[in-house]
PDB file of all heavy atoms in Angstrom:
ATOM      1  N   SER A 263     -11.398  -4.818  11.455  1.00  0.00           N
ATOM      2  CA  SER A 263     -11.111  -5.833  10.435  1.00  0.00           C
ATOM      3  C   SER A 263     -10.062  -5.331   9.443  1.00  0.00           C
ATOM      4  O   SER A 263      -9.222  -6.100   8.969  1.00  0.00           O
ATOM      5  CB  SER A 263     -12.401  -6.280   9.730  1.00  0.00           C
ATOM      6  OG  SER A 263     -13.121  -5.173   9.242  1.00  0.00           O
ATOM      7  N   ASP A 264     -10.068  -4.024   9.146  1.00  0.00           N
ATOM      8  CA  ASP A 264      -9.014  -3.454   8.279  1.00  0.00           C
ATOM      9  C   ASP A 264      -7.634  -3.610   8.920  1.00  0.00           C
ATOM     10  O   ASP A 264      -6.649  -3.935   8.254  1.00  0.00           O
ATOM     11  CB  ASP A 264      -9.246  -1.951   8.032  1.00  0.00           C
ATOM     12  CG  ASP A 264     -10.356  -1.697   7.013  1.00  0.00           C
ATOM     13  OD1 ASP A 264     -10.777  -2.681   6.361  1.00  0.00           O
ATOM     14  OD2 ASP A 264     -10.796  -0.539   6.873  1.00  0.00           O
ATOM     15  N   LEU A 265      -7.584  -3.363  10.226  1.00  0.00           N
ATOM     16  CA  LEU A 265      -6.303  -3.443  10.937  1.00  0.00           C
ATOM     17  C   LEU A 265      -5.807  -4.894  10.951  1.00  0.00           C
ATOM     18  O   LEU A 265      -4.617  -5.170  10.810  1.00  0.00           O
ATOM     19  CB  LEU A 265      -6.469  -2.901  12.363  1.00  0.00           C
ATOM     20  CG  LEU A 265      -5.205  -2.741  13.200  1.00  0.00           C
ATOM     21  CD1 LEU A 265      -4.124  -1.976  12.462  1.00  0.00           C
ATOM     22  CD2 LEU A 265      -5.517  -2.029  14.519  1.00  0.00           C
ATOM     23  N   MET A 266      -6.748  -5.814  11.093  1.00  0.00           N
ATOM     24  CA  MET A 266      -6.419  -7.240  11.059  1.00  0.00           C
ATOM     25  C   MET A 266      -5.729  -7.590   9.726  1.00  0.00           C
ATOM     26  O   MET A 266      -4.709  -8.281   9.690  1.00  0.00           O
ATOM     27  CB  MET A 266      -7.743  -7.993  11.200  1.00  0.00           C
ATOM     28  CG  MET A 266      -7.636  -9.456  11.263  1.00  0.00           C
ATOM     29  SD  MET A 266      -7.024  -9.986  12.848  1.00  0.00           S
ATOM     30  CE  MET A 266      -6.163 -11.408  12.292  1.00  0.00           C
ATOM     31  N   VAL A 267      -6.315  -7.094   8.629  1.00  0.00           N
ATOM     32  CA  VAL A 267      -5.746  -7.359   7.298  1.00  0.00           C
ATOM     33  C   VAL A 267      -4.345  -6.730   7.189  1.00  0.00           C
ATOM     34  O   VAL A 267      -3.418  -7.326   6.651  1.00  0.00           O
ATOM     35  CB  VAL A 267      -6.684  -6.816   6.191  1.00  0.00           C
ATOM     36  CG1 VAL A 267      -6.031  -6.908   4.820  1.00  0.00           C
ATOM     37  CG2 VAL A 267      -8.004  -7.582   6.200  1.00  0.00           C
ATOM     38  N   LEU A 268      -4.213  -5.522   7.742  1.00  0.00           N
ATOM     39  CA  LEU A 268      -2.912  -4.835   7.703  1.00  0.00           C
ATOM     40  C   LEU A 268      -1.834  -5.647   8.441  1.00  0.00           C
ATOM     41  O   LEU A 268      -0.700  -5.772   7.968  1.00  0.00           O
ATOM     42  CB  LEU A 268      -3.058  -3.430   8.309  1.00  0.00           C
ATOM     43  CG  LEU A 268      -1.809  -2.549   8.361  1.00  0.00           C
ATOM     44  CD1 LEU A 268      -1.217  -2.327   6.974  1.00  0.00           C
ATOM     45  CD2 LEU A 268      -2.124  -1.193   8.997  1.00  0.00           C
ATOM     46  N   LEU A 269      -2.194  -6.226   9.591  1.00  0.00           N
ATOM     47  CA  LEU A 269      -1.224  -7.029  10.351  1.00  0.00           C
ATOM     48  C   LEU A 269      -0.747  -8.232   9.536  1.00  0.00           C
ATOM     49  O   LEU A 269       0.371  -8.718   9.697  1.00  0.00           O
ATOM     50  CB  LEU A 269      -1.831  -7.528  11.666  1.00  0.00           C
ATOM     51  CG  LEU A 269      -2.109  -6.457  12.724  1.00  0.00           C
ATOM     52  CD1 LEU A 269      -2.821  -7.078  13.927  1.00  0.00           C
ATOM     53  CD2 LEU A 269      -0.831  -5.749  13.175  1.00  0.00           C
ATOM     54  N   LEU A 270      -1.611  -8.711   8.635  1.00  0.00           N
ATOM     55  CA  LEU A 270      -1.255  -9.884   7.828  1.00  0.00           C
ATOM     56  C   LEU A 270      -0.380  -9.533   6.634  1.00  0.00           C
ATOM     57  O   LEU A 270       0.031 -10.404   5.879  1.00  0.00           O
ATOM     58  CB  LEU A 270      -2.528 -10.582   7.336  1.00  0.00           C
ATOM     59  CG  LEU A 270      -3.359 -11.245   8.429  1.00  0.00           C
ATOM     60  CD1 LEU A 270      -4.678 -11.741   7.864  1.00  0.00           C
ATOM     61  CD2 LEU A 270      -2.601 -12.392   9.065  1.00  0.00           C
ATOM     62  N   LEU A 271      -0.116  -8.252   6.454  1.00  0.00           N
ATOM     63  CA  LEU A 271       0.744  -7.849   5.332  1.00  0.00           C
ATOM     64  C   LEU A 271       2.225  -8.080   5.632  1.00  0.00           C
ATOM     65  O   LEU A 271       3.041  -8.094   4.722  1.00  0.00           O
ATOM     66  CB  LEU A 271       0.521  -6.370   4.982  1.00  0.00           C
ATOM     67  CG  LEU A 271      -0.575  -6.100   3.950  1.00  0.00           C
ATOM     68  CD1 LEU A 271      -0.791  -4.607   3.794  1.00  0.00           C
ATOM     69  CD2 LEU A 271      -0.238  -6.722   2.608  1.00  0.00           C
ATOM     70  N   GLY A 272       2.565  -8.247   6.901  1.00  0.00           N
ATOM     71  CA  GLY A 272       3.971  -8.517   7.236  1.00  0.00           C
ATOM     72  C   GLY A 272       4.223 -10.011   7.139  1.00  0.00           C
ATOM     73  O   GLY A 272       3.406 -10.811   7.596  1.00  0.00           O
ATOM     74  N   ASP A 273       5.351 -10.408   6.563  1.00  0.00           N
ATOM     75  CA  ASP A 273       5.599 -11.842   6.373  1.00  0.00           C
ATOM     76  C   ASP A 273       5.643 -12.601   7.693  1.00  0.00           C
ATOM     77  O   ASP A 273       5.017 -13.642   7.851  1.00  0.00           O
ATOM     78  CB  ASP A 273       6.914 -12.057   5.599  1.00  0.00           C
ATOM     79  CG  ASP A 273       6.735 -11.665   4.143  1.00  0.00           C
ATOM     80  OD1 ASP A 273       5.581 -11.699   3.672  1.00  0.00           O
ATOM     81  OD2 ASP A 273       7.730 -11.319   3.485  1.00  0.00           O
ATOM     82  N   GLU A 274       6.400 -12.045   8.657  1.00  0.00           N
ATOM     83  CA  GLU A 274       6.548 -12.772   9.924  1.00  0.00           C
ATOM     84  C   GLU A 274       5.241 -12.801  10.708  1.00  0.00           C
ATOM     85  O   GLU A 274       4.850 -13.831  11.250  1.00  0.00           O
ATOM     86  CB  GLU A 274       7.629 -12.115  10.792  1.00  0.00           C
ATOM     87  CG  GLU A 274       9.046 -12.437  10.360  1.00  0.00           C
ATOM     88  CD  GLU A 274      10.043 -11.872  11.376  1.00  0.00           C
ATOM     89  OE1 GLU A 274      10.241 -12.531  12.417  1.00  0.00           O
ATOM     90  OE2 GLU A 274      10.591 -10.785  11.120  1.00  0.00           O
ATOM     91  N   SER A 275       4.568 -11.647  10.776  1.00  0.00           N
ATOM     92  CA  SER A 275       3.323 -11.606  11.551  1.00  0.00           C
ATOM     93  C   SER A 275       2.276 -12.519  10.893  1.00  0.00           C
ATOM     94  O   SER A 275       1.542 -13.231  11.576  1.00  0.00           O
ATOM     95  CB  SER A 275       2.791 -10.170  11.679  1.00  0.00           C
ATOM     96  OG  SER A 275       2.794  -9.510  10.436  1.00  0.00           O
ATOM     97  N   MET A 276       2.254 -12.533   9.561  1.00  0.00           N
ATOM     98  CA  MET A 276       1.290 -13.391   8.851  1.00  0.00           C
ATOM     99  C   MET A 276       1.563 -14.868   9.152  1.00  0.00           C
ATOM    100  O   MET A 276       0.669 -15.637   9.489  1.00  0.00           O
ATOM    101  CB  MET A 276       1.382 -13.120   7.348  1.00  0.00           C
ATOM    102  CG  MET A 276       0.490 -13.994   6.480  1.00  0.00           C
ATOM    103  SD  MET A 276       1.261 -15.549   5.978  1.00  0.00           S
ATOM    104  CE  MET A 276       2.446 -14.962   4.786  1.00  0.00           C
ATOM    105  N   GLN A 277       2.833 -15.268   9.058  1.00  0.00           N
ATOM    106  CA  GLN A 277       3.171 -16.674   9.251  1.00  0.00           C
ATOM    107  C   GLN A 277       2.878 -17.108  10.693  1.00  0.00           C
ATOM    108  O   GLN A 277       2.418 -18.206  10.947  1.00  0.00           O
ATOM    109  CB  GLN A 277       4.643 -16.903   8.884  1.00  0.00           C
ATOM    110  CG  GLN A 277       4.942 -18.290   8.322  1.00  0.00           C
ATOM    111  CD  GLN A 277       3.985 -18.743   7.215  1.00  0.00           C
ATOM    112  OE1 GLN A 277       3.698 -18.026   6.270  1.00  0.00           O
ATOM    113  NE2 GLN A 277       3.456 -19.937   7.346  1.00  0.00           N
TER     114      GLN A 277
END
Side-chain angles (χ1 to χ4, degrees):
S263 52
D264 283 349
L265 187 51
M266 183 75 212
V267 172
L268 180 58
L269 291 175
L270 292 173
L271 270 174
D273 288 336
E274 283 187 81
S275 47
M276 177 272 288
Q277 211 48 48

